[in-house]
Amino acid sequence: MRSERTPFEGGPMDGRVLPVLLGPTGHPPKWYEIPVPAADGGPPTVLLYERVPAGYSKRLHLQKGWKYTYTPSGRKPGLRWPWTKTKPRTEPGPEPRAEQKPAPPTA
């Protein structure tokens, strides 16, 4: 399998360059996960890096390759299918005041 030396930015891996295996399309994976074992023997912490373009050429604006940037949240965004609805926000709305009384029904 082919690999490509890919730089990492941000987080604990800042400034390091690692060989990353390429997929069938010739690109590294969109997300790169690095499990870090816990010192007390608990579950490992996962460092999450997202693939972004490394830069663009000046004249033709061609992409120069890939790099990974640190995602501090540690979670990948979920899949977004075109036929699914977005979840409504669960922000608390204004509560009705106790002094307001509903209008009596008119017949």
Side-chain angles (χ1 to χ4, degrees), residues 34-49:
I34 302 171
V36 179
D40 61 353
T45 304
V46 177
L47 303 176
L48 189 63
Y49 286 85

Side-chain angles (χ1 to χ4, degrees), residues 28-84:
K30 177 75 174 156
W31 296 94
Y32 195 80
E33 297 177 355
I34 302 171
V36 179
D40 61 353
T45 304
V46 177
L47 303 176
L48 189 63
Y49 286 85
E50 181 182 11
R51 181 189 73 192
V52 295
Y56 296 95
S57 65
K58 290 182 181 179
R59 188 168 188 178
L60 296 176
H61 202 64
L62 298 174
Q63 187 176 328
K64 289 185 174 181
W66 300 102
K67 65 182 177 182
Y68 283 104
T69 58
Y70 181 63
T71 306
S73 67
R75 293 188 316 158
K76 294 182 197 177
L79 291 175
R80 295 193 58 202
W81 300 101
W83 55 84
T84 58

Side-chain angles (χ1 to χ4, degrees), residues 7-42:
F8 286 76
E9 284 187 355
M13 299 291 289
D14 190 26
R16 296 189 187 180
V17 178
L18 297 177
V20 177
L21 291 176
L22 303 178
T25 59
H27 297 290
K30 177 75 174 156
W31 296 94
Y32 195 80
E33 297 177 355
I34 302 171
V36 179
D40 61 353

